[in-house]
């Protein structure tokens, strides 16, 4: 079992991440922790402490971008560059029209998104996309940039675009919220298994009421996928692990 997207150092998880990681090791193969500007050093430390189990992706979420100056963003990009050997992907990066719908906000977010894509291209790393209410825009941008290794994290777009995602050979990452969205459920059931990943987005999107989400809940995703596809959990998990190996080298 691999959780390709979680935030181990976010509030809710960071207070007890030691305990959670030790427990996760009992049933999981790997975790990709998505770091952000505020936690780079701690994320690197976590990766070193759990070498071969915790992997790191560094990104720049729209929510961070709006709080940073252009200079701070440039400095962060330099910082990511210096740690290129410690990371398996750039992400999450992307656009968010839910929280930032104004055209002038979008312009800046698009500019920074492009900077991060340029960085991923330079470092030859896959990208993990945050595409809230901007799925088509993100898709068009990565395609125009000639990207091959792309993950749509928590994809909530329509099925027509999902078909284009499939044809481009991109990946969709199915999260612990899959049963709450008709489209995600459909994708978990029908999208080619060779282009699917599993994730939790912990501490968010817990499948269980009033509980924080943890990486080991990726098992919940696999169980639901198993029911939806009529295949054993082990068989699905084997393909997903292979996808992760191919994409992230883990
Ligand atoms: Zn996330």
């Amino acid at each position: 079992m691999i959780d390709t997207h979680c935030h181990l150092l976010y509030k809710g998880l960071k207070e007890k991440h030691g305990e959670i990681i030790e427990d996760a090791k009992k049933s999981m193969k790997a975790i990709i922790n998505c770091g952000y500007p505020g936690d780079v050093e701690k994320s690197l430390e976590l990766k070193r402490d759990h070498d071969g189990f915790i992997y790191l992706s560094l990104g720049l979420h729209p929510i961070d971008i709006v709080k940073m100056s252009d200079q701070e963003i440039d400095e962060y990009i330099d910082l990511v560059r210096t740690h290129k050997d410690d990371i398996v992907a750039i992400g999450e990066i992307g656009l968010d029209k839910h929280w930032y719908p104004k055209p002038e906000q979008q312009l800046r977010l698009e500019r920074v998104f492009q900077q991060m894509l340029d960085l991923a291209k330079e470092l030859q790393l896959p990208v993990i996309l945050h595409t809230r209410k901007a799925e088509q825009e993100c898709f068009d941008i990565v395609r125009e940039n000639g990207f091959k290794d792309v993950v749509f994290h928590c994809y909530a777009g329509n099925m027509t675009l999902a078909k284009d995602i499939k044809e481009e050979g991109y990946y969709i990452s199915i999260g612990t919220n899959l049963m709450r969205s008709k489209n995600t459920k459909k994708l978990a059931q029908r999208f080619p298994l060779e282009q699917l990943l599993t994730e939790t987005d912990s501490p968010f999107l817990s499948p269980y009421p009033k509980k924080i989400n943890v990486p080991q809940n990726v098992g919940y995703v696999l169980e639901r996928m198993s029911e939806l596809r009529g295949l054993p959990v082990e068989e699905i998990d084997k393909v997903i692990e292979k996808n992760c190996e191919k994409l992230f080298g883990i």
Side-chain angles (χ1 to χ4, degrees):
M1 295 203 300
I2 299 180
D3 183 358
T4 64
H5 189 116
C6 65
H7 306 280
L8 292 170
L9 296 169
Y10 269 29
K11 201 168 166 270
L13 263 188
K14 70 171 179 197
E15 298 82 1
K16 42 189 165 188
H17 68 262
E19 211 180 297
I20 289 165
I21 291 165
E22 286 320 312
D23 182 59
K25 280 181 180 170
K26 292 178 201 158
S27 59
M28 297 180 69
K29 184 171 183 264
I31 294 174
I32 299 179
N33 177 39
C34 293
Y36 66 107
D39 74 2
V40 174
E41 286 311 318
K42 284 209 171 100
S43 292
L44 286 162
E45 213 175 283
L46 207 57
K47 182 206 162 273
R48 280 183 214 119
D49 288 349
H50 303 276
D51 196 34
F53 182 68
I54 291 183
Y55 295 85
L56 180 61
S57 170
L58 286 175
L60 197 49
H61 195 289
I63 226 161
D64 294 313
I65 295 172
V66 296
K67 289 184 229 153
M68 293 165 79
S69 69
D70 287 349
Q71 195 194 332
E72 282 168 332
I73 287 169
D74 289 342
E75 285 166 6
Y76 176 67
I77 288 174
D78 283 337
L79 180 68
V80 175
R81 192 179 277 121
T82 57
H83 293 299
K84 66 176 177 15
D85 295 330
D86 294 305
I87 56 179
V88 294
I90 295 291
E92 55 196 292
I93 55 172
L95 303 172
D96 192 317
K97 279 203 193 165
H98 174 78
W99 292 112
Y100 310 109
K102 291 185 200 141
E104 66 271 22
Q105 292 173 318
Q106 281 170 45
L107 269 178
R108 183 161 187 262
L109 289 182
E110 269 176 38
R111 182 162 56 76
V112 178
F113 181 32
Q114 185 62 54
Q115 279 182 279
M116 295 304 286
L117 290 174
D118 291 343
L119 178 68
K121 208 181 271 182
E122 176 196 322
L123 305 182
Q124 295 181 293
L125 287 169
V127 290
I128 298 171
L129 301 183
H130 171 97
T131 60
R132 195 159 183 198
K133 298 233 168 96
E135 295 88 2
Q136 186 69 53
E137 289 87 338
C138 289
F139 174 84
D140 291 344
I141 293 170
V142 289
R143 191 167 58 173
E144 277 157 25
N145 275 270
F147 272 86
K148 294 274 166 264
D149 297 330
V150 176
V151 180
F152 283 77
H153 137 73
C154 259
Y155 178 76
N158 60 50
M159 299 307 279
T160 313
L161 179 59
K163 198 166 160 267
D164 291 339
I165 290 173
K166 180 177 89 181
E167 270 154 28
E168 274 314 303
Y170 296 159
Y171 293 81
I172 284 181
S173 185
I174 303 289
T176 32
N177 59 342
L178 82 161
M179 301 309 277
R180 284 183 228 149
S181 147
K182 216 167 84 187
N183 280 354
T184 315
K185 208 167 128 184
K186 261 192 222 163
L187 292 166
Q189 185 173 26
R190 299 188 209 149
F191 205 71
L193 207 47
E194 292 68 28
Q195 284 170 258
L196 284 181
L197 302 173
T198 47
E199 66 162 77
T200 65
D201 206 15
S202 312
F204 313 107
L205 308 180
S206 174
Y208 307 113
K210 291 184 189 159
K211 284 205 167 164
I212 62 148
N213 206 359
V214 291
Q216 30 290 58
N217 285 342
V218 83
Y220 171 90
V221 181
L222 284 164
E223 278 163 28
R224 297 294 85 73
M225 281 174 75
S226 160
E227 290 162 9
L228 290 165
R229 300 181 87 102
L231 288 171
V233 167
E234 300 72 32
E235 205 172 303
I236 293 174
D237 195 26
K238 217 163 105 187
V239 180
I240 305 258
E241 287 190 1
K242 223 166 151 193
N243 298 344
C244 288
E245 194 186 329
K246 192 173 156 206
L247 184 62
F248 302 115
I250 63 176

